[in-house]
Amino acid sequence: MLRSVASDARGVVSVHDAILALIPAILALAALAGAVLSWSWGTALAVGSVPASGTVGYALFYNPPAGVGEN
């Protein structure tokens, strides 16, 4: 029988959960920096998309998520 993962990991933040929170935080920080430095929105988000896409690449290729039974 399969067990629910949520019941075992309540209150624990995994690396992949942190990465999912980091991606919009990077873009929001870039938008804020663009507003402070009076950049256009397109420029600010283009600058912010570089580290955000690097974070996605890290999560997908360097440290990919494992299945439930693959620990």
Side-chain angles (χ1 to χ4, degrees), residues 24-40:
I26 290 171
L27 292 173
L29 185 65
L32 181 65
V36 169
L37 298 174
S38 70
W39 291 348
S40 69

Side-chain angles (χ1 to χ4, degrees), residues 2-53:
L2 297 175
R3 295 185 320 189
S4 173
V5 176
S7 65
D8 294 340
R10 186 167 297 172
V12 176
V13 177
S14 71
V15 173
H16 299 290
D17 292 336
I19 288 171
L20 285 175
L22 186 62
I23 294 166
I26 290 171
L27 292 173
L29 185 65
L32 181 65
V36 169
L37 298 174
S38 70
W39 291 348
S40 69
W41 288 107
T43 303
L45 292 180
V47 169
S49 69
V50 174
S53 62

